[in-house]
Every structure is written in structure tokens, then in C-alpha cells.
Amino acid sequence: MKSRRVLVTGGAGFIGTHLVEELVSRGHRVRVLDALDPQVHGHSSPRRMAKEIEMIRGDVLDEDTLARALSGIEVVFHQAASVGVGQSMYEPAAYTRVNSLGTATLMEKIASPRSEVEKVVIASSMSLYGEGKYDCSECGPIHPSPRRRDDTARGHWELGCPQCGVDLKPLPTDERVPPSPTSIYAITKRCQEETVLVMGRSYGIPSVALRYFNVYSPAQSLSNPYRGVAAIFASRILNGVPPVLFEDGLQSRDFTHVSDIVQANLLAMERSDADYSVLNVGTGRRTTLLELTHGLLRKLRPEGDLQPQIAGSFREGDIRHCFADISQIQKTLGFEPRVSLEEGYDDLAEWARTQRPVDRTEQAFGELRSRGLVR
Ligand code: UD1
């Protein structure tokens, strides 16, 4: 495989770091553009990067920085984004600026005549589906609307069929399910994806949108309270405080190890079969939050003296169930998830034990509660 000149935006972030490492190990020349946001990286200096990586600290919204970052680049992995679903609901303008406007600014530069970019891979998200796909035993497959406020207010967590009222059963969600975002974050992810694909098609720049399902990884910022639930829970368990589960803990996701996300990105770069299309990246397996919690407790707190706390409250913007149908990415790119959640717990636990996470989730939940976004 020919060595490529690659830019990874958000390359110091929790997915970017792993992607960069793999690209370097395969002999590609890698440049990172990252704002090193203190919420993610803390105020201390960031982890040192391998010396062959060129690091530019800066913002995707800054045109001069972008011009410098893109100079001589053939492949762009756009990973830079603000990622908190809850936080996006009270900082909608900031999320729209960084995610949506940031992507438009990047694509404007990539489409300019001087650009040498031949491929763009955008980190999209399953969150743009809103609720996933479900089955009604009476009416067949359905993609339901978001849960109603009065249902979640009285603790009615599961979705009913809008036609006959029967409780719905989650099905794997495929790429044909139309986007129906339930949070500002998800709106920006949809916007990022569409911006890249529309600009890519119009200017003949092969582009691929990868819809990541819930990614977990070692090297995740355990102290960032707006991180994914696996990191939040690992940090709480290590601090000896119980993980707090919204709703009844039976909501489910498709927890995907970061190395499988990296695998999908590399395949999207190396092959042209997926150009101009969107693909789910997940494991195809559904896990409830409670199962995840018990898995983490087994590894990180084998003493058995810590129990999950079921909050019975609802975080605005949350969906109930979504897990991936991965047949499309298997067919077009030959992708196969390699790391099971059981192996993933080991990985996360081993790394988390070397960390001293500060648990800031109480503060973050307080923020959401004071705005009525956790009820
Ligand atoms: C996550 C990512 C998003 C990504 C998407 C798909 C984060 C913050 N969000 O969204 O960037 O695009 O996956 O890859 O990484 N929960 C609790 N207690 C907590 C925290 C969360 O019960 O302390 C629950 C939530 O209410 C939700 C579930 O855990 O039901 C998952 O939440 P979260 O990890 O934030 O992920 P998503 O919102 O699915």
C-alpha cells in the first residue's frame, strides 16, 4: 500500500489518537489538527505524540490554520467535533459552530482549486437516526418518532407502535432508516455528513461518511463528564461511587471498540467501493446499559461492594434503543468487528487502572438538571 499524506482533524482525541497510531504504523505520513480543548484534554500538556507526527494546534474554523493543515494532504479524516449529547442541548450555538460550520469551512478549503485532497472520511454518528428501527408484532418494521414528553415524565420508557399501541421490539438499524435527530448534537452530525457528501459529489472528491455506533476505548478522557457512558462509569467505579443510570437502565446501544472504528476508517481510505456513501460502523450486537455496568463492575470492582444506581430520570435528547445493521459495510468494505465487549472491558479496565480520573459527572448532571434537561 502506497504511503499517503494524511490529515486527521481531532487527531489528539479519543478516536483520533488510535487512528493516527495505526496510520503511522502502516507507513503513512500523518499530520494532526487539534484544538486540544481543555474539557477533553485538561489543562496540562497533552500526551506526547510520536515524533513522526506533525501536530498543528488550532481550530477547524480558522481559515489560515486550515490552509496550513491541508497543504500537501491527500486524505482527510475529519474527526474533530464536540461530542456531548446532553451538553449540546444547552450549548446549541457552540455545537453548531464547531461541528456544522467547522465542517463547511473545512470542505470549502478542500474544494478549492489548490487542494490536492483525493478522499475525505467523515466521522458521523448513529445519533442522527434518532430512535433506531423497531418491529411491531402487528404492523411490521417501523422507525418511530421520538418519545413523548409526557411518556418519559411518567417513566414510560419503551416505545409503543403509533398505529396499534403494541410495545415495539428493537431491530438492527440499517442505513436506509431516514435521519430523525433528537438532539442538537445529532443535528450537527447529520449536517456534517451531508456537507461532506454533497461537497464531495459536487467537486468529484470521493467521500465516505461512517456512522459510528457508541465507541469506547482506552485513552478516553475519563475526567470529561460529557464523555460516553462507558468512560463515565469506569471513572465513577474507580472513584468508588456508583454509576448512575438514567431511565431504568434497560436502554440499549451497540458498544463498539475503537480499534474496529479505526479498521473501518482505513478500509474507507484504501478502497473506493464505499465512495460517496454512508455506512454504519458497529458490532451488530445490542447491549443494555445495565449489562454494560455489570461488565465494568466485574472488572473494575471485583469486591462486589458497589451497585448501579437507577435514577429513573430522563436525559433530554436520549433515544431508547439503537444498534447497527452492519451488513452494508461488511459487503462493501469487507469490514468485520474484531473486539467483543467482553474483550473490550479487559482493555478498558487495564488502561483505566493506570489513570487517576476526577469524577465531574455530578457537576455536569447538575448543569443539565438546572436547565430541566434531566427530569
Ligand atoms: C454517544 C456519543 C456520541 C456518538 C454516539 C454514537 C458521547 C458523549 N456521545 O452518544 O458522540 O456520536 O454515541 O457513537 O460520547 N447514560 C447514563 N448515565 C450516564 C451517562 C449516560 O445512564 O452517566 C445513558 C444515557 O442516558 C444514554 C446512554 O447512557 O441512554 C448512552 O449515552 P452516551 O454514552 O452519552 O451516548 P449517546 O448519547 O448514545
Side-chain angles (χ1 to χ4, degrees):
M1 161 82 21
K2 160 173 167 243
S3 166
R4 315 294 303 268
R5 296 187 302 271
V6 179
L7 173 69
V8 183
T9 70
F14 96 99
I15 298 176
T17 313
H18 293 270
L19 178 58
V20 165
E21 249 169 45
E22 188 59 29
L23 285 162
V24 169
S25 78
R26 293 188 186 201
H28 299 293
R29 277 174 287 165
V30 182
R31 185 180 295 155
V32 164
L33 171 63
D34 201 299
L36 299 176
D37 177 2
Q39 179 174 299
V40 179
H41 298 273
H43 290 279
S44 49
S45 32
R47 282 193 332 153
R48 281 173 65 86
M49 293 205 164
K51 60 177 182 332
E52 55 272 59
I53 301 164
E54 190 190 340
M55 173 75 197
I56 299 180
R57 180 174 189 168
D59 205 304
V60 278
L61 286 158
D62 185 285
E63 297 204 18
D64 292 340
T65 309
L66 267 185
R68 199 151 59 90
L70 284 167
S71 163
I73 291 294
E74 296 165 300
V75 180
V76 176
F77 291 97
H78 184 32
Q79 302 287 321
S82 297
V83 299
V85 171
Q87 189 178 31
S88 77
M89 302 303 285
Y90 64 88
E91 293 184 10
Y95 269 70
T96 304
R97 201 159 40 240
V98 172
N99 295 359
S100 307
L101 184 59
T103 304
T105 313
L106 173 69
M107 287 310 291
E108 192 174 303
K109 280 273 177 286
I110 288 176
S112 77
R114 280 192 309 273
S115 160
E116 295 166 50
V117 174
E118 294 166 3
K119 171 86 74 131
V120 183
V121 183
I122 169 79
S124 182
S125 161
M126 61 50 121
S127 63
L128 58 71
Y129 291 121
E131 285 297 340
K133 193 169 168 178
Y134 288 76
D135 186 49
C136 167
S137 54
E138 303 295 316
C139 313
I142 178 173
H143 177 221
S145 313
R147 287 178 283 181
R148 293 201 327 238
R149 209 179 156 100
D150 47 340
D151 281 340
T152 53
R154 61 191 168 89
H156 194 127
W157 309 121
E158 292 297 341
L159 288 105
C161 173
Q163 277 134 39
C164 69
V166 161
D167 266 1
L168 297 172
K169 187 172 139 261
L171 289 176
T173 299
D174 61 71
E175 294 85 349
R176 283 165 308 195
V177 168
S180 177
T182 59
S183 66
I184 297 297
Y185 167 77
I187 293 174
T188 67
K189 278 286 151 185
R190 176 187 189 169
C191 177
Q192 284 192 303
E193 178 180 305
E194 290 181 348
T195 301
V196 168
L197 290 174
V198 166
M199 291 289 285
R201 279 190 208 107
S202 308
Y203 287 86
I205 305 162
S207 329
V208 185
L210 297 177
R211 290 181 179 164
Y212 303 162
F213 280 61
N214 294 58
V215 190
Y216 66 93
S217 95
Q220 202 163 351
S221 167
L222 290 185
S223 303
N224 175 4
Y226 300 102
R227 255 296 52 111
V229 68
I232 291 177
F233 286 1
S235 137
R236 287 184 73 91
I237 294 168
L238 287 169
N239 280 295
V241 283
V244 180
L245 284 71
F246 294 131
E247 306 179 28
D248 57 358
L250 296 179
Q251 63 271 47
S252 59
R253 298 288 190 276
D254 185 340
F255 294 100
T256 309
H257 192 267
V258 70
S259 61
D260 285 324
I261 299 289
V262 168
Q263 183 202 157
N265 274 280
L266 288 162
L267 288 167
M269 171 176 83
E270 288 159 4
R271 298 172 57 155
S272 55
D273 314 65
D275 289 355
Y276 307 112
S277 65
V278 300
L279 292 171
N280 285 342
V281 191
T283 67
R285 209 184 112 182
R286 180 163 96 88
T287 303
T288 67
L289 220 53
L290 210 51
E291 287 166 337
L292 171 84
T293 311
H294 286 302
L296 288 170
L297 281 168
R298 267 198 309 278
K299 295 288 174 195
L300 292 173
R301 195 81 178 188
E303 305 89 297
D305 58 347
L306 213 57
Q307 292 302 316
Q309 193 180 312
I310 307 289
S313 44
F314 178 67
R315 186 180 74 175
E316 200 50 58
D318 271 346
I319 52 129
R320 181 66 176 167
H321 304 289
C322 194
F323 68 110
D325 178 331
I326 55 170
S327 45
Q328 199 55 36
I329 190 166
Q330 288 175 312
K331 201 166 83 201
T332 38
L333 293 180
F335 168 86
E336 281 307 327
R338 296 196 191 115
V339 185
S340 71
L341 193 49
E342 284 66 34
E343 293 164 307
Y345 292 141
D346 288 333
D347 207 16
L348 193 61
E350 194 181 313
W351 182 79
R353 275 200 208 92
T354 66
Q355 304 296 304
R356 295 208 183 289
V358 184
D359 180 29
R360 297 201 187 89
T361 45
E362 289 306 339
Q363 198 186 329
F365 290 161
E367 195 88 67
L368 292 174
R369 256 185 235 108
S370 70
R371 292 173 162 85
L373 296 171
V374 167
R375 297 187 293 274

